[in-house]
Amino acid sequence: MARLQILELPEGSGDDRPPFVLVVDQFEPPPYPGEPWPPLFDGVAEKIGARAVLVFEETIDIPANDTSAYLQAAAANPEISVELGGHDPQAAIDAAIRKLKDDPQAGTQ
């Protein structure tokens, strides 16, 4: 399945919006050879405000769009510890839940 990526371009003095290029990669051309596939993208750049649309059958990796570092950081430390005023809030929450289980009327006051 094709991927859509945004390649941000340097902003010029006359740009009222940040310039960009739409990059379509992993694109599979239509199976019928009589129709050339680039016309599928004719006019798209103008409609979305892009400077151009680049279409590739291969995978194109744009370094600015690489989020693998975020995934690795999340996997390295998936748990966050929080202390408020030297107290563990999870212990307070657990105690409140136990209290409600023991006395359901305690939470209605």
Side-chain angles (χ1 to χ4, degrees), residues 37-94:
W37 54 265
L40 292 173
F41 298 97
D42 281 352
V44 171
E46 293 81 16
K47 289 178 185 175
I48 64 172
R51 296 290 169 98
V53 175
L54 303 176
V55 182
F56 302 93
E57 291 182 35
E58 300 84 22
T59 298
I60 304 297
D61 291 321
I62 299 174
N65 293 343
D66 182 16
T67 59
S68 61
Y70 295 109
L71 297 174
Q72 292 170 359
N77 189 9
E79 192 171 309
I80 297 175
S81 298
V82 177
E83 283 190 19
L84 300 174
H87 301 286
D88 179 14
Q90 186 62 46
I93 292 169
D94 291 342

